[in-house]
Amino acid sequence: MKKLLVFSILGVVAMLLIVACGNPVPTPAGQPTAPGGSTAGLPADAAAVATERGLTPDDIYAALRTFTPSGQLDPYIMIASGGQSGQLLAIGVPSMRLLKTIAVFTPEPWQGFGFGGSGNTILEGGKVNDKDILWGDTHHPALSETAGEYDGQFVFINDKANARVAVIDLRDFATKQIIKNPLGIVDHGGSFVTPNTEYVIEGPQYAQPIGWEYGDVVQDYKTKFRGYLTMWKFDRATGRIDPAQSFSVELPPYFQDLCDAGKKVSEGWLFCNSFNTEMATGGVEDGNPPFESGTAKNDTDYLHIMNWKKAEELFKAGKTETFNGMKYITLDTAAKEGVLYFTPEPKSPHGADVTPGGEYVVVGGKLDPHVTIYSFDKMQQAIAALNEGSATKDEFGVPVLTLDSTMEAQVELGLGPLHTVYDDKGYAYTSLFLDSAVARWTLGGPYQGLHPEEPWTLVQKLPVQYNIGHIAAAEGDTASPDGNYVVALNKWSIDRFANIGPLLPQNFQLVDTSKTGDQMKVLYDMPIGNAEPHYAQIIKADKLKAWEVYPLGTNTETMLPDPNAITSPDQAKIVRNGKNVEIWMTVVRSHFTPEHVRIKKGDHVTWHFSNIEQTRDATHGFALPGYNINLSLEPGKTETIEFDADKDGTFAYYCTEFCSALHLEMLGYMMVEP
Ligand code: K7E
Ligand code: CUA
């Protein structure tokens, strides 16, 4: 522990230095070596380019590893969070080409999400206190899994800012559901899934009274403020979270941070790190320690060890309380019934990452140079020993297992270890925020023998640019990671890109991990110019079976046939019923039918659009000026909008996708009579 403390202090000093300078210390970038000699073996024209551009052999290798000729497809797709953009990003790996921004919590006009169609209904599911919330802070995407492997069907994402979770269907890469957690107003430790996606899990972060009701953070902290972890039941058949089958577990007001589900040997359990067991309540303006130091006083916080199968039993047995329709297991019940255990974790921890076989949980201490590796087997032995006799408990009655009884190893990596991912060679990769590096180190136990080195040792520290947060590995959260690439999700880019003003992009750096030993290399820099993504997952592209077009007449919210679909312009019509006007319109290259819509001010308009194309990429748009309406009508899609014609005038509606040579002619007039 003493050693730990010394390094903790070093860590704090380093962090303070960074805060004081307002700048991380850039690691020297690889200087191009003098051209010439290094181009031996290249065709003459390639050698000339390399010489002219001053490319090193490493640069040439990186180019060859990442360049993807036109028409060739990436073997991996990375689904990255979009941070405070509220969206997700789909990125090809290794080309690092951005393929799509997936609209999730934020209206997005290209996809017509939130501008009149079904996206509006989906966004409404995310209301908070009846208020529209039209952005999110997405942190941790979770691909659906079957038997611990990504199955390519769904991806889930949390919104830290409003404690919401969204479901994205990977048949069309579109959001289908947004659900608000009734217990918490802020989340963080989500989303992640159980190995068969029985549950999508949303963990909390900043403690608050249940249902974010009024409370005083100083006076009521220990009595009213709590954390809640929610097990959202996922129904694969409907592709929706079922709130009625979902439940939560009440947690102490420690700041639970990031979680991971056990798998294989540890299936049925989950693990969350935490960082405010001090229960600091801030108030720097009143002379109290600010949160940043108040939460970092203790040498250790608590790794939360949770038996979710046991919690599920208690939920099914009705041993729950209810708040705002959400059933939850009280902290007292969780502590007494063997749902929740703690074990110490050093110091200001971040992340809890389960190894591919589920044997170990790795926790990085932000202010400690080590990662701590816990053994699930040892946890179970310690729990069994507890049941026989005296147990140390925290002040909420939760049993605390000693660090000695649960720890397998500690590996010293450097400053600011945060998150850890795995490969197929028995290596773990940990992001070092303060060092701006990716640390490759060896796992022991069943992973010994997959690599040539000693177990639990640092193999290489690769500088990245700069201040890496999360790290993602190819198939990295599965029971069988791939190991070709990891991506460093860097918070700062500083000097990597052209100066485009004080707000800089983040830098995703592709790292080659295909060779053993100290052979990791940075291959590619990808600027993320729209927000701060936190986590990403990388799936093999051939696992994704996205539709090329929608079957004719598909309602894309339900993914079922739409009762208002029509299949030919002959069926297009306008029907008036009192003040209600209903329009059935077809959309095809290069005309809308009808092209004239005559209505009266004060009418209520219901307008159905059917794109009757089945040609791939034959997407049309529908822009209605002055009414904040814009749709994306992909082939086969049927979409409905409703609005009150409260402004009279003449409105030219038109197609926003350049769909054909006569695209500009694809228009019509809505005439609203005063
Ligand atoms: Cu997973 Cu940024 Cu939410 Cu670490 S967090 S970096
Ligand atoms: Cu349809 Cu342009």
Side-chain angles (χ1 to χ4, degrees):
M1 258 330 148
K2 220 181 230 160
K3 190 169 149 202
L4 220 159
L5 191 69
V6 172
F7 281 109
S8 303
I9 290 163
L10 276 178
V12 174
V13 169
M15 196 168 239
L16 288 178
L17 267 175
I18 279 168
V19 171
C21 307
N23 231 348
V25 185
T27 329
Q31 294 296 313
T33 57
S38 62
T39 56
L42 283 182
D45 51 353
V49 172
T51 304
E52 189 199 324
R53 299 190 67 204
L55 301 180
T56 66
D58 272 359
D59 296 334
I60 295 164
Y61 173 80
L64 293 175
R65 286 275 288 162
T66 55
F67 175 69
T68 305
S70 182
Q72 248 188 50
L73 306 183
D74 285 299
Y76 297 100
I77 302 293
M78 174 159 65
I79 306 288
S81 91
Q84 62 275 59
S85 75
Q87 317 294 46
L88 286 177
L89 308 171
I91 297 163
V93 174
S95 74
M96 304 306 277
R97 296 181 294 197
L98 174 64
L99 305 176
K100 186 183 268 184
T101 298
I102 304 168
V104 184
F105 295 108
T106 306
E108 203 287 325
W110 169 50
Q111 288 149 83
F113 188 76
F115 296 94
S118 58
N120 290 51
T121 321
I122 293 162
L123 285 166
E124 268 180 27
K127 282 188 172 188
V128 180
N129 296 338
D130 248 350
K131 195 180 182 67
D132 288 324
I133 305 291
L134 298 179
W135 74 291
D137 184 12
T138 59
H139 275 239
H140 307 101
L143 289 155
S144 58
E145 294 180 16
T146 301
E149 303 291 342
Y150 303 147
D151 55 37
Q153 292 185 3
F154 297 94
V155 62
F156 311 95
I157 182 73
N158 72 310
D159 165 25
K160 169 171 170 168
N162 304 283
R164 300 180 297 174
V165 171
V167 179
I168 292 93
D169 192 326
L170 293 177
R171 283 176 294 179
D172 62 349
F173 283 67
T175 302
K176 304 299 172 189
Q177 184 184 26
I178 297 175
I179 196 153
K180 171 76 197 95
N181 195 313
L183 300 183
I185 190 73
V186 176
D187 72 21
H188 188 251
S191 48
F192 63 107
V193 297
T194 52
N196 285 298
T197 322
E198 300 95 335
Y199 292 98
V200 180
I201 301 162
E202 182 186 16
Q205 187 150 73
Y206 309 126
Q208 72 227 350
I210 179 169
W212 63 97
E213 289 184 338
Y214 176 77
D216 186 279
V217 69
V218 177
Q219 272 139 47
D220 306 327
Y221 195 79
K222 288 190 181 179
T223 52
K224 283 179 84 173
F225 282 56
R226 291 291 179 268
Y228 297 90
L229 182 131
T230 298
M231 309 282 298
W232 292 109
K233 180 76 186 162
F234 185 64
D235 180 346
R236 260 184 215 267
T238 59
R240 296 291 185 281
I241 284 169
D242 180 358
Q245 301 299 318
S246 305
F247 64 94
S248 298
V249 180
E250 182 186 11
L251 299 172
Y254 311 145
F255 291 173
Q256 292 80 21
D257 182 27
L258 199 47
C259 313
D260 200 0
K263 49 180 169 277
K264 301 252 170 161
V265 297
S266 53
E267 183 160 356
W269 292 73
L270 59 90
F271 312 92
C272 302
N273 77 286
S274 66
F275 64 84
N276 185 19
T277 49
E278 295 86 349
M279 293 189 278
T281 55
V284 65
E285 64 281 10
D286 297 322
N288 298 312
F291 276 111
E292 64 176 333
S293 62
T295 60
K297 260 186 5 217
N298 293 352
D299 266 340
T300 56
D301 289 290
Y302 288 136
L303 177 66
H304 291 41
I305 303 166
M306 244 177 82
N307 184 341
W308 68 259
K309 285 256 160 96
K310 180 82 202 171
E312 186 186 48
E313 274 171 33
L314 294 174
F315 161 63
K316 288 187 171 158
K319 292 193 177 158
T320 49
E321 304 277 321
T322 307
F323 184 89
N324 264 350
M326 169 65 75
K327 299 255 171 37
Y328 70 95
I329 294 160
T330 64
L331 178 51
D332 192 53
T333 305
K336 288 191 175 127
E337 300 272 352
V339 169
L340 186 61
Y341 302 91
F342 292 144
T343 194
E345 50 182 6
K347 158 129 202 182
S348 293
H350 194 44
D353 295 295
V354 176
T355 50
E359 308 87 350
Y360 307 109
V361 183
V362 176
V363 174
K366 298 190 293 273
L367 302 181
D368 178 74
H370 299 86
V371 283
T372 303
I373 299 106
Y374 299 85
S375 150
F376 180 72
D377 199 43
K378 287 186 175 176
M379 287 176 195
Q380 294 306 302
Q381 286 174 30
I383 289 168
L386 267 187
N387 293 340
E388 287 159 23
S390 58
T392 313
K393 294 185 175 154
D394 84 330
E395 65 176 280
F396 298 93
V398 180
V400 180
L401 316 173
T402 64
L403 181 57
D404 278 351
S405 70
T406 57
M407 193 179 87
E408 179 74 25
Q410 279 190 318
V411 185
E412 189 177 331
L413 301 178
L415 297 179
L418 299 183
H419 300 286
T420 299
V421 292
Y422 307 98
D423 71 3
D424 58 343
K425 295 181 274 294
Y427 292 126
Y429 302 82
T430 299
S431 53
L432 301 177
F433 178 82
L434 298 177
D435 272 350
S436 283
V438 170
R440 171 188 257 183
W441 52 280
T442 57
L443 297 171
Y447 303 92
Q448 187 58 36
L450 291 174
H451 50 73
E453 295 92 353
E454 291 288 301
W456 316 122
T457 52
L458 175 65
V459 176
Q460 186 189 359
K461 262 164 80 169
L462 176 75
V464 289
Q465 289 75 34
Y466 302 94
N467 294 80
I468 176 173
H470 269 279
I471 181 168
E475 296 270 317
D477 290 309
T478 69
S480 56
D482 265 21
N484 287 318
Y485 303 103
V486 303
V487 174
L489 282 62
N490 303 316
K491 304 290 184 194
W492 296 44
S493 62
I494 308 183
D495 55 2
R496 294 294 105 170
F497 306 112
N499 182 1
I500 36 82
L503 180 60
L504 274 64
Q506 300 228 328
N507 188 11
F508 278 15
Q509 280 182 311
L510 181 70
V511 174
D512 183 8
T513 59
S514 59
K515 296 176 187 153
T516 54
D518 59 354
Q519 298 292 304
M520 284 193 297
K521 287 189 170 76
V522 170
L523 297 175
Y524 196 82
D525 284 28
M526 178 199 187
I528 302 293
N530 67 3
E532 179 182 322
H534 290 261
Y535 191 46
Q537 286 186 330
I538 303 171
I539 182 174
K540 273 189 193 138
D542 62 12
K543 286 184 174 179
L544 295 164
K545 304 276 184 263
W547 291 352
E548 296 190 347
V549 297
Y550 291 108
L552 213 55
T554 299
N555 177 317
T556 57
E557 190 188 349
T558 60
M559 299 296 263
L560 296 169
D562 191 308
N564 285 302
I566 54 174
T567 52
S568 138
D570 308 340
Q571 298 163 318
K573 59 184 172 182
I574 302 176
V575 176
R576 171 176 289 278
N577 192 343
K579 281 204 158 305
N580 291 313
V581 177
E582 194 161 2
I583 304 159
W584 285 264
M585 173 178 266
T586 54
V587 184
V588 70
R589 277 164 291 172
S590 302
H591 54 273
F592 296 105
T593 309
E595 291 184 333
H596 296 160
V597 171
R598 291 188 173 87
I599 56 176
K600 294 194 172 65
K601 188 175 175 182
D603 282 344
H604 181 76
V605 181
T606 306
W607 197 326
H608 312 288
F609 301 82
S610 291
N611 180 336
I612 57 174
E613 308 249 14
Q614 286 287 278
T615 306
R616 200 173 180 196
D617 210 358
T619 295
H620 302 279
F622 175 82
L624 184 59
Y627 276 85
N628 200 36
I629 284 168
N630 182 49
L631 303 178
S632 171
L633 301 163
E634 299 92 52
K637 182 176 187 173
T638 293
E639 175 94 269
T640 296
I641 60 171
E642 266 187 73
F643 62 94
D644 291 315
D646 51 6
K647 295 277 177 281
D648 56 62
T650 306
F651 303 89
Y653 52 83
Y654 71 96
C655 173
T656 47
E657 288 269 344
F658 209 109
C659 52
S660 66
L662 296 175
H663 149 80
L664 292 177
E665 290 76 359
M666 191 165 173
L667 80 151
Y669 284 95
M670 179 175 86
M671 294 155 269
V672 185
E673 204 181 313

